[in-house]
Amino acid sequence: MNPPAIVIEPLLQRGQLHWQVRMGRRALTFHEEQAARAFAAQLHMRMLWLQQSSELAGHYAPPESAH
């Protein structure tokens, strides 16, 4: 299963430029582009780590016992 894409886009609010980081239906808005990019990078790394952890857990899961 692939995680949803992480998207950074400019957003004009009340005449000021903000940056929105979206993943699926969820979004966070930042005042600075650098903060938005740093958050998106951390989120991307976390999603990769979670995906790899779940794959490893499935690979190393103990065999089911037969009753």
Side-chain angles (χ1 to χ4, degrees), residues 2-66:
N2 291 332
I6 299 169
V7 179
I8 303 172
E9 54 192 13
L11 182 65
L12 194 59
Q13 288 183 334
R14 299 182 189 134
Q16 293 184 343
L17 182 62
H18 294 164
W19 297 90
Q20 187 176 65
V21 177
R22 286 188 307 114
M23 185 179 82
R25 297 183 340 196
R26 298 176 185 257
L28 281 176
T29 304
F30 295 86
H31 294 281
E32 298 177 8
E33 181 181 6
Q34 185 176 1
R37 291 191 180 278
F39 176 78
Q42 290 175 356
L43 183 58
H44 180 73
M45 294 302 293
R46 175 71 174 176
M47 295 302 295
L48 285 176
W49 179 81
L50 286 171
Q51 184 179 12
Q52 291 173 351
S53 295
S54 68
E55 289 171 1
L56 284 176
H59 182 69
Y60 290 111
E64 294 182 26
S65 60

